[in-house]
Amino acid sequence: MRGALCLMGAGTFLLSLLSAPPPRRPHFVNVAAKSKIPYKTNNSFTGRKYFPQPMCGGAAIFDFDNDGRLDIFLANGAKLPDLKKTDSSFFNCLLRQKSDGTFEDVTARAGLTGKGLDYNFGAAVGDYDNDGFEDLFLASMGPNALFHNNGDGTFTDVTSASGIGGKPANTLSVAAAWFDYDNDGLLDLIVSDYTIWSPATDVRCLMNDQDYYCNPHRYPSVPPRLYRNLGNGRFTDVTVKSQLARYPGKGMGVSIADFNGDGWMDVFIANDTEPNSLFINRRDGTFEEKGLELGVAYDQNARAGSSMGCDAKDFDNDGKVDIFFNNLMGQIWQLLRNRGGLFQYYSSISKVQKLSMTYSGWSAGFIDYNNDGWKDIYSANGDVDMVSAKSPQHDTMFENTDGKTFVDVSGEMGEDFLPKGYQRGSAFGDLNGDGALDIVVTSLNQAPRILMNTADSGNHWLMVALTGRKSARDAIGAGVKLTTASGRELYNHVAISVGFMSSSDKRVHFGLGEETKIASVEIRWPSGIVQTLKNIEADRVLSVEEPLK
C-alpha cells in the first residue's frame, strides 16, 4: 500500500511538471526605425581587404546631458587607405534620447562627428575630472582622442592638452576602460592596444586570387597602455612604470574588476590569438600578469583562441567575480568560474561550449535580461569575413537557469533579435526606465539596432546609482551585495567597459525574481568605505552617495 502511495505521489509530481506553465520570457523589439538615425557602421569595405576592417562600430550608452534619460554614442570608421572621414558616411554619431523615447541626432551640435580624426574603434565613457558629466575617449587606428564634456551639450577635444594621445607610431588601439587603479579618487585609463599597422605596411593575403583577412600572427603584438590621472585634466603615461610594458598581446575586450577581493581594481584583457592577460594590481602602482598562473590565459586544451569581447561579473552569486569571453566559430567560448584564487574552466559543465560552437562572437555581456536574479550571457555574432553561408549570424542569448547551466533561448527573443549580419559592438542599459536591460548593437554596413526589452517576465528589480565622493565620482569597481528579505544573496559591481569596443550604463542592475523586499544593500566603495542600507523597496532606482567616512 505504501509503495502504491509512493507511485501515486510520483505520478502526481510528474503530472505537475508536465502541466507547469513555461517561464515568461521577455523579448526584444527594435525601435531604431522610430528615430531618424543617419549612422551606419562603415568599415570602408570596397573589395580590398585591409587587416583591421572587421573591427568597427563601438557603442556607448550613457546620459551625456544629465537629463535622466540614457543616450547613445556610436563610433565609426574612415576611408581606406586614406584614413580620413572623407564624408558624413564615416561620421561618428551621438543620439540624444527625447522625452517621448525617440532619439535625435545631436552629433554636430555636440562636436563629436569625428571630422579630422581617422578610423575610430572603441568608445570608453568616464567622468575623469569628477565634474558630474561623463567624458568620452575614442580608441583609434591612428591617434586616439579624448573629449571633455562641457556640461552644456557640447564636447571639446582635449587630447593634446591632456597628454593622453601619445602612443608609438601606427599603434592600433581597439578598446579602453576607465578605472582608478591607484585609489586616489581620479579615474585613470587603460587602452587595449592590438598591433602596429598602417595601410603602407598592410599585408595582402590571397587565395585563388581572392582577398582574405590575414592571420593576426602576421603582425606584432604590443602591450596595453596605461595613463595615470594627475588631476587638472592632465595625464601621464605610466605603461613602463606600472610594468604593463613587459606583457605584449593583441588586446581586444577589456574588463575591470577586483578579482582577488583585496579592494584594488585588476584588469582582464582578451587577446586575439595570444594568451589572455590578467593583470593583478600589486597596490604599489604596478601590475603583475598572472593569466597563466590563474587559469585564464588558454582554453582547456592549452590553446589561445580568437578572444573577442569579454565581461567580468559574478554569474553564480557566490561573491566572486567570474569571466566570460567569446571566440570565433569552432573555438570555445570561455566561461571561467572564480574559485577564490584560481579560475575553473566552466564552459563544458555549464553547456556554454556546446551552445556556442557554431557562432563567431564579438561583443558580449553578462545581463540579467529576465530579472530572475541570474546573469545571462548575450553575444553579438557574425563571422570575420563573408566566406560562407554561415558567415552572417544572429545574436544569441544564453539563459542562466540556476547559476550552473545555461540554455539557448535566442529563438524566443523575438524576430528583431534574430536578423543575421556581422554584428560587432554592443552596450547595455535600461533605456526606458522600466527596470529591464535593453541592448544597442552595431552591425557592419547596417544601421544600429536599439533593442528594447519588453520587460514582461513579471519579475522585480533594483537599480543602484552610485556617486563617489572620496572614491572617483563614477565609483567604477564598487562592489554591491544585495540580500533579499528571504535571505537570497546577489552580487554585482560598477562596470562600464563591457563587451567589445563598447561602454554600458554605469548603474548597477539587479533582477529580484518574485521578491519585492530587500533586507539590505551593502556597498564596498573603492576608497575602502563600507556602507549598508536596510529595508529597501524593489522596482526603483536607488541613488546612493558615498559617505566620507
Side-chain angles (χ1 to χ4, degrees), residues 451-499:
L451 296 172
M452 303 298 288
N453 190 325
T454 57
D456 51 3
S457 68
N459 291 328
H460 300 277
W461 56 277
L462 183 76
M463 199 86 71
V464 184
L466 300 180
T467 301
R469 297 171 70 195
K470 188 176 181 180
S471 304
R473 186 179 177 89
D474 279 349
I476 292 171
V480 184
K481 175 185 176 182
L482 183 152
T483 305
T484 68
S486 71
R488 186 183 185 191
E489 295 180 348
L490 306 172
Y491 297 85
N492 209 340
H493 65 273
V494 180
I496 296 179
S497 174
V498 177

Side-chain angles (χ1 to χ4, degrees), residues 56 64 92 116 124 164 249 259 304 327 361 383 391 400 425 428 431 442 545:
C56 189
F64 84 91
N92 301 323
I164 214 165
F259 291 106
N327 271 306
D383 213 352
S391 295
N400 186 341
F428 313 103
L431 291 168
T442 64
E545 191 171 272

Side-chain angles (χ1 to χ4, degrees), residues 164-187:
I164 214 165
K167 63 179 180 179
N170 300 322
T171 299
L172 195 158
S173 301
V174 172
W178 295 96
F179 74 125
D180 184 4
Y181 82 92
D182 52 1
N183 283 351
D184 66 352
L186 297 170
L187 290 182

Side-chain angles (χ1 to χ4, degrees), residues 121-310:
F121 293 112
V125 171
D127 181 6
Y128 71 81
D129 57 354
N130 291 330
D131 67 352
F133 291 89
E134 298 298 310
D135 309 300
L136 181 67
F137 174 84
L138 296 182
S140 306
M141 193 175 291
N144 298 324
L146 177 63
F147 289 89
H148 178 259
N149 189 333
N150 301 317
D152 60 0
T154 68
F155 290 76
T156 298
D157 186 340
V158 295
T159 310
S160 179
S162 70
I164 214 165
K167 63 179 180 179
N170 300 322
T171 299
L172 195 158
S173 301
V174 172
W178 295 96
F179 74 125
D180 184 4
Y181 82 92
D182 52 1
N183 283 351
D184 66 352
L186 297 170
L187 290 182
D188 312 297
L189 184 75
I190 187 165
V191 182
S192 182
D193 285 343
Y194 188 93
T195 191
I196 303 296
W197 180 91
S198 73
T201 61
D202 185 71
V203 178
R204 192 171 187 184
C205 292
L206 296 170
M207 181 179 294
N208 299 324
D209 295 324
Q210 296 293 317
D211 274 344
Y212 68 94
Y213 293 113
C214 296
N215 189 297
H217 289 306
R218 291 287 192 103
Y219 295 93
S221 300
V222 294
R225 191 150 296 274
L226 181 63
Y227 299 92
R228 181 171 182 260
N229 191 338
L230 302 175
N232 299 315
R234 296 289 300 171
F235 293 80
T236 185
D237 188 331
V238 292
T239 306
V240 174
K241 186 176 181 180
S242 67
Q243 300 188 17
L244 292 181
R246 299 169 55 187
Y247 307 109
K250 287 190 169 69
M252 300 283 267
V254 52
S255 294
I256 305 297
D258 179 8
F259 291 106
N260 57 3
D262 66 353
W264 295 71
M265 293 302 105
D266 311 304
V267 182
F268 174 80
I269 294 181
N271 288 311
D272 186 7
T273 68
E274 301 280 348
N276 301 307
S277 302
L278 182 53
F279 296 107
I280 298 299
N281 194 327
R282 301 177 68 180
R283 299 177 286 179
D284 60 359
T286 68
F287 290 83
E288 183 178 6
E289 203 291 299
K290 302 186 74 172
L292 179 61
E293 179 180 339
L294 297 182
V296 305
Y298 299 98
D299 66 18
Q300 86 284 7
N301 297 317
R303 296 172 181 167
S306 300
S307 307
M308 301 291 196
C310 60

Side-chain angles (χ1 to χ4, degrees), residues 303-320:
R303 296 172 181 167
S306 300
S307 307
M308 301 291 196
C310 60
D311 195 8
K313 298 273 179 24
D314 182 1
F315 82 89
D316 54 357
N317 287 324
D318 67 351
K320 296 180 284 290

Side-chain angles (χ1 to χ4, degrees), residues 19-206:
S19 61
R24 292 171 60 185
R25 291 191 171 108
H27 58 280
F28 293 87
V29 178
N30 183 14
V31 300
K34 296 180 180 179
S35 305
K36 294 181 179 179
I37 301 175
Y39 172 95
K40 288 187 178 181
T41 306
N42 190 346
N43 68 341
S44 189
F45 179 71
T46 57
R48 169 72 163 89
K49 294 182 178 178
Y50 291 93
F51 177 70
Q53 272 175 336
M55 299 183 290
C56 189
I61 293 177
F62 67 117
D63 183 5
F64 84 91
D65 54 359
N66 285 358
D67 66 353
R69 295 184 292 270
L70 292 176
D71 311 299
I72 300 169
F73 176 82
L74 303 161
N76 216 344
K79 186 175 177 58
L80 292 169
D82 310 66
L83 288 183
K84 293 181 179 179
K85 294 185 184 291
T86 53
D87 58 70
S88 60
S89 71
F90 293 106
F91 283 179
N92 301 323
C93 184
L94 179 64
L95 300 172
R96 177 180 178 270
Q97 185 176 177
K98 299 191 293 184
S99 58
D100 63 359
T102 62
F103 294 84
E104 63 174 331
D105 176 17
V106 295
T107 316
R109 186 196 320 166
L112 289 177
T113 62
K115 192 173 183 179
L117 302 179
D118 59 25
Y119 208 113
N120 301 132
F121 293 112
V125 171
D127 181 6
Y128 71 81
D129 57 354
N130 291 330
D131 67 352
F133 291 89
E134 298 298 310
D135 309 300
L136 181 67
F137 174 84
L138 296 182
S140 306
M141 193 175 291
N144 298 324
L146 177 63
F147 289 89
H148 178 259
N149 189 333
N150 301 317
D152 60 0
T154 68
F155 290 76
T156 298
D157 186 340
V158 295
T159 310
S160 179
S162 70
I164 214 165
K167 63 179 180 179
N170 300 322
T171 299
L172 195 158
S173 301
V174 172
W178 295 96
F179 74 125
D180 184 4
Y181 82 92
D182 52 1
N183 283 351
D184 66 352
L186 297 170
L187 290 182
D188 312 297
L189 184 75
I190 187 165
V191 182
S192 182
D193 285 343
Y194 188 93
T195 191
I196 303 296
W197 180 91
S198 73
T201 61
D202 185 71
V203 178
R204 192 171 187 184
C205 292
L206 296 170

